[in-house]
Amino acid sequence: MSIQTVNPATGEVVEKFDPTSSAELERIMSGAHAASAERRVVPPAERAKPMREAARVLRARKTEFARTMAAEMGKPIVQGEAEAEKCAWTCEYYAEHAEAMLRVDPRETDALRSYVRYDPLGVVLAIMPWNFPFWQVFRFTAPALMAGNAAILKHASNVSRCALQIEEVLRQAGFPPALCRTVLLEAAAVSPLIADRRIAAVTLTGSDVVGAKVGAQAGHQLKKTVLELGGSDPFIVLGDADLPFTAPGAADARLVNSGQSCIAAKRFIVVQAVADRFLDLFKKELGTRRMGDPLARETQVGPQARHELRDALHRQVEESKKRGARVLLGGEIPTGPGAFYPPTLLAGVDKGMPAFDEETFGPVAAVIRAKDGRDAVH
């Protein structure tokens, strides 16, 4: 059964991929394990050379990569170019600073000699999400490779071309071909990878449900993990806020990546004294953001990454309405093709509503009133 990517702006199939076969997976794992043994003795200054070249490749091909992001998960092209630039900066940062970070650190103890030494772990498995398909990978890959590790990338299936392009960047930059490889696998195939003796550590960015499973299995195998999971970040507006300044920032904080960001502001907790004025300004700001074709440079809000994610977001809005929330803007699925959902503003949000109790992973802003600053923090 093939893996396919679907353009969320049109609903059309972009590309089909054959999953990585068991024989190819074994070759990739064996190659990465051997490459990690060789790479660990390469000095950081030598590791930095292809890392700097990776930054150059990312910048040179940023529009190409942004178009892939737009096609596979709907990211507006200007934001995709900025993402590629951020990846390039990250490569340069670790190329410059890794040697100092990895230097042996002497410590004073009652022993004859004490120090902290930083050694490579080996092969690190990265299970990465679709919402920042390049950045999430490079923020892991750059430090992991500079530390002397090898990397196996299991990316989200709906951004498979992004995953292959990332492997291509690293190969073009001059990294050993076996050192950082992509595997195209469904989620069910991840568990045997974690258990493989050649995997030394696991990192995942995703939901708390999946994170709990990956963390439990890695822990059972005594393998190190780094997990970055979801959240419902608060944006607190106090009585002395400069509201004309605050409202545009609030809109930007909610609509970053079309609302599909782990660290986007999601719950806007506003003290009663300024709530009405903030709502008016916030509604106007959200209403100015342009939703449309992610390949158009004026687009600020693209489609949601998949239709089922858009539909789940709408159910959260509808259920919140049933429980008393008021829709001041948006809240309706547009007609026409694509997984679009407009910037949406909910007022009167309180406990017991999905918009209060759950993460809304899309362009839905929930405004919650608080008596004062202390109540807002509570």
Side-chain angles (χ1 to χ4, degrees):
M1 183 177 178
S2 66
I3 294 171
Q4 67 179 23
T5 56
V6 177
N7 187 328
T10 64
E12 298 173 348
V13 174
V14 177
E15 199 170 357
K16 294 183 179 181
F17 303 87
D18 292 328
T20 303
S21 68
S22 56
E24 177 62 11
L25 182 60
E26 174 58 30
R27 284 192 291 270
I28 288 171
M29 294 289 286
S30 296
H33 189 250
S36 70
E38 296 173 2
R39 196 67 176 176
R40 66 187 297 121
V41 299
V42 174
E46 288 298 310
R47 298 173 196 161
K49 292 177 182 177
M51 191 61 71
R52 290 192 177 94
E53 179 63 12
R56 189 199 66 77
V57 173
L58 283 161
R59 288 201 175 96
R61 299 175 62 184
K62 68 179 182 181
T63 300
E64 174 193 351
F65 298 148
R67 293 183 70 87
T68 304
M69 292 183 236
E72 290 197 321
M73 54 74 57
K75 189 184 297 289
I77 191 166
V78 172
Q79 296 179 28
E81 289 174 345
E83 182 169 330
E85 283 279 356
K86 188 176 182 181
C87 294
W89 171 83
T90 302
C91 291
E92 289 171 340
Y93 177 86
Y94 284 103
E96 180 180 352
H97 296 289
E99 187 168 13
M101 293 175 176
L102 297 170
R103 195 170 291 138
V104 172
D105 184 10
R107 299 294 174 89
E108 291 294 329
T109 72
D110 58 359
L112 183 63
R113 183 181 177 215
S114 298
Y115 57 90
V116 177
R117 192 178 76 189
Y118 301 94
D119 291 337
L121 295 171
V123 183
V124 183
L125 170 65
I127 306 162
M128 294 288 103
W130 49 262
N131 58 335
F132 290 92
F134 271 67
W135 162 243
Q136 295 282 8
V137 177
F138 274 95
R139 75 168 187 172
F140 142 75
T141 304
L145 295 185
M146 283 303 303
N149 298 297
I152 299 291
L153 170 63
K154 190 283 176 214
H155 217 326
S157 295
N158 62 323
V159 290
S160 292
R161 177 52 60 188
C162 287
L164 292 170
Q165 285 181 332
I166 289 167
E167 183 180 285
E168 189 180 317
V169 168
L170 296 169
R171 190 165 297 180
Q172 185 178 343
F175 284 99
L179 192 68
C180 189
R181 294 296 310 274
T182 286
V183 294
L184 301 181
L185 300 171
E186 296 291 354
V190 171
S191 184
L193 270 184
I194 297 174
D196 192 291
R197 61 177 178 78
R198 292 165 292 192
I199 295 294
V202 184
T203 180
L204 171 136
T205 298
S207 71
D208 54 350
V209 173
V210 176
K213 293 177 180 177
V214 168
Q217 185 178 356
H220 183 71
Q221 302 283 337
L222 295 179
K223 296 181 179 182
K224 295 181 183 297
T225 57
V226 174
L227 307 175
E228 194 237 312
L229 311 179
S232 190
D233 296 1
F235 186 115
I236 296 177
V237 182
L238 300 177
D240 61 352
D242 179 346
L243 297 182
F245 174 81
T246 301
D252 291 341
R254 174 60 285 207
L255 298 180
V256 59
N257 202 39
S258 306
Q260 301 167 116
S261 171
C262 301
I263 59 171
K266 300 182 178 76
R267 296 175 295 136
F268 296 82
I269 304 171
V270 188
V271 299
Q272 184 67 40
V274 298
D276 290 338
R277 174 70 173 146
F278 174 77
L279 273 170
D280 288 342
L281 294 171
F282 194 25
K283 179 181 176 181
K284 289 176 184 176
E285 285 294 333
L286 291 171
T288 65
R289 298 309 197 265
R290 292 183 293 274
M291 181 177 72
D293 179 1
L295 290 175
R297 301 196 74 83
E298 65 272 13
T299 294
Q300 295 165 294
V301 180
Q304 301 301 279
R306 300 196 304 271
H307 279 80
E308 68 269 24
L309 298 174
R310 188 272 309 273
D311 295 344
L313 180 68
H314 186 58
R315 283 194 295 272
Q316 289 177 304
V317 171
E318 289 293 297
E319 186 60 31
S320 296
K321 282 170 56 180
K322 290 178 184 176
R323 300 186 188 189
R326 304 189 313 279
V327 179
L328 303 186
L329 182 72
E332 297 292 338
I333 294 177
T335 57
F340 290 95
Y341 202 75
T344 296
L345 179 59
L346 300 179
V349 174
D350 207 345
K351 294 176 183 176
M353 301 177 185
F356 187 102
D357 296 337
E358 302 171 8
E359 181 179 27
T360 51
F361 209 66
V364 175
V367 175
I368 300 156
R369 293 181 184 241
K371 297 174 185 176
D372 52 29
R374 184 181 294 274
D375 186 40
V377 171
H378 173 74

